[in-house]
Amino acid sequence: MSKTKENIFDVVLFKRLFQYIKPYKLVFVTLAVLVVLLAIFSAATPYITKYAIDNSIEVKIPETFVYYILAMFAVLILQTVFQLAFIYYAAWLGQNLVEDVRVKLFNHLLKFKMKYYDNSSVGVLITRAVTDMERIADIFGQGLFMIFRDLLTMVVVFGVMVSTNWRLSLIVFVMLPILMYATRIFQKYMKVAFEEVRNEVSNLNSFVQERLTGMKILQLFTREDVEYKKFTEINERHKKGWLKTVWYNSIFFPLADLVSSVCIGAVAWYGGLSVVLENNEVTQGDLIAFIMYIPMLFRPLRQIADKFNTLQMGMVAATRVFKVIDTTSQIDDKGTIIAEHFKGDIAFKNVVFSYVDDEEVLKGISFDVKAGETIAIVGATGAGKSTIINLLNRFYEIKDGVIAIDGVDIKAVTLASLRTQIAVVLQDVFLFADTILNNITLNNPDITEAQVKAAAKEIGVHEFISSLPGGYHYNVKERGVMLSSGQRQLISFLRAYVTNPSILVLDEATSSVDSYSEQLIQNATEKITKGRTSIVIAHRLATIKKADKILVMDSGEIVEQGTHDELLQKENGYYKNLYEVQFLKEEVV
């Protein structure tokens, strides 16, 4: 068994969690006081009962009995009030702490490199940000403070029992170590079981999320039966993980009840015999008080084991969440220059890049783009065209070389201002489950609805948007499923245009859209590229012909560059062959 699994409590982890309690010190101190008060009041009722029996009932003095009843009633009221406050503020502290951790986690995720997401499961990250967070909240709401309360209750009850009758206490304490040992063994195995459960929950979430997202592909290729079998296997492992916890519970809790019952029986036998024999070792009040005390001593221990389950799940979840928070996968944003506007000169100088070590995607490419020029990039799939877009926006760090805009290395420019000045229209358009207006502005308060409409009219998409139910306030649902691919593309063009970028990057995607949408996209392309530096991954002949320069890529290298006419003059040139195979057919059509 690993060292991690052997440790019941991770002290370092708890210290880290307590750092988030600092803003809520007053609530924490209040809870600590309530823990003490609840422990004292829990032991008070049996104590008062003992004296009521010995000093009123047994000696037949009814006048004092009413005072004991009133005292017990007052204790009950106070205990109820303190219990209510304790439960509420424990949960309140847990939820506020988790809110802070969740915000930190999400802010951390927002700054990760794309490489991190390339290698991570979305389902697992969702589990970390949602399900695991609730388990962390339970550490305080249902775990830690409850355990402290139960432990303190046991200490107080222990002290009162010894001071009341040491003979009966001895019987109880002979039985107590048996339950304590069983509790420790139970905690040890439950920690391992819960780690297994959390692993399977992550796997299950990841599997379901990916299959729901790719449901169309599964149905198109009739993979329903195969995926169903995979799901049942994962679900079976998840069930077995939970059944382990159920098995450990089913052993421990009946054992705890058995030990408690045996202890009560032993006390009742010895105490009852002493009362009958009148040997003055045990009074009737002692006997009744101890019968009340035993569950109060054994039940907290049983509850500690139960709450420990919650605590263990929270600890496992916290470990996973902090692992993400501790991950250093951010782009190095040490630039000091704030780019308010770029003239638009772009230079790639001997840029080398690898997604995977020792597998170069770009092999020392160099090219220049003058301000206001439109360059087209063509090449086979995997040649490195989209990588150029990713590197210009610093989604990934280059291995060697320099990328400069207006003669300044982009690493010297703050990341936020760099990306603000570069607008990208991707081939795979992503829309959020929100209105068209919010998908265009991305909730930027500096862009008004009037500006959006004016921009839409300029690039010729206002009529299309206005024809939708609700117009600009039409909700496109998740990933924009209410729109066609061409319509989504038009929205992405407008989203780029309203930001008034200095540099525009287009990954054209008109091959799968209808002719009407294609015409609108072509018109929009001409409008938004006019007068600004543009880099276009070309899929259509019209874009290539109008480009000021064409970069021809193959296997991570620029093999040719020039205008359309210049490249066609090269005998057996790469571009000429590509043109004749791919683009000439389009021209003929």
Side-chain angles (χ1 to χ4, degrees), residues 113-116 118-119 350-365 384 387-388 390-391 395-401 555-556:
K113 300 176 184 177
M114 288 299 107
K115 184 176 181 179
Y116 179 85
D118 294 341
N119 299 323
N350 299 315
V351 174
V352 178
F353 173 74
S354 302
Y355 289 106
V356 180
D357 292 341
D358 301 323
E359 293 182 18
E360 291 183 354
V361 176
L362 297 183
K363 304 172 182 178
I365 67 168
T387 300
I388 290 176
N390 291 330
L391 297 183
F395 286 140
Y396 299 87
E397 295 281 23
I398 61 176
K399 184 178 179 181
D400 198 8
S555 301

Side-chain angles (χ1 to χ4, degrees), residues 447-504:
I447 304 175
T448 65
E449 185 173 349
Q451 289 175 311
V452 172
K453 288 181 178 179
K457 291 175 182 177
E458 288 181 26
I459 66 173
V461 299
H462 175 71
E463 184 178 343
F464 137 65
I465 297 175
S466 299
S467 67
L468 297 171
Y472 288 83
H473 296 279
Y474 178 63
N475 193 311
V476 300
K477 304 300 181 184
E478 188 174 1
R479 300 183 68 89
V481 294
M482 302 303 290
L483 302 178
S484 68
S485 59
Q487 290 171 330
R488 291 196 295 270
Q489 195 74 28
L490 290 169
I491 297 300
S492 70
F493 270 85
L494 184 54
R495 180 161 61 192
Y497 187 58
V498 295
T499 62
N500 191 28
S502 304
I503 297 170
L504 188 69

Side-chain angles (χ1 to χ4, degrees), residues 18-29:
F18 275 111
Q19 295 298 314
Y20 291 90
I21 294 179
K22 288 183 179 179
Y24 312 107
K25 285 182 179 179
L26 181 60
V27 175
F28 183 81
V29 172

Side-chain angles (χ1 to χ4, degrees), residues 238-255:
H238 178 258
K239 181 195 73 175
K240 286 180 178 178
W242 271 112
L243 285 178
K244 280 187 180 180
T245 68
V246 174
W247 171 244
Y248 297 147
N249 282 321
S250 66
I251 295 174
F252 174 76
F253 291 113
L255 177 62

Side-chain angles (χ1 to χ4, degrees), residues 430-432 434-442 476 491 495:
F430 187 94
L431 297 181
F432 295 94
D434 206 335
T435 64
I436 287 179
L437 179 64
N438 288 339
N439 268 290
I440 293 169
T441 65
L442 296 177
V476 300
I491 297 300
R495 180 161 61 192

Side-chain angles (χ1 to χ4, degrees), residues 97-114:
L97 180 145
V98 160
E99 180 185 26
D100 296 342
V101 178
R102 184 184 279 124
V103 167
K104 183 172 183 177
L105 174 66
F106 189 72
N107 184 52
H108 201 61
L109 290 172
L110 288 173
K111 297 175 182 178
F112 276 158
K113 300 176 184 177
M114 288 299 107

Side-chain angles (χ1 to χ4, degrees), residues 570-584:
K570 294 186 177 181
E571 287 294 329
N572 296 320
Y574 190 99
Y575 177 78
K576 184 176 181 180
N577 292 332
L578 183 68
Y579 171 77
E580 290 175 350
V581 172
Q582 181 178 344
F583 298 115
L584 192 58

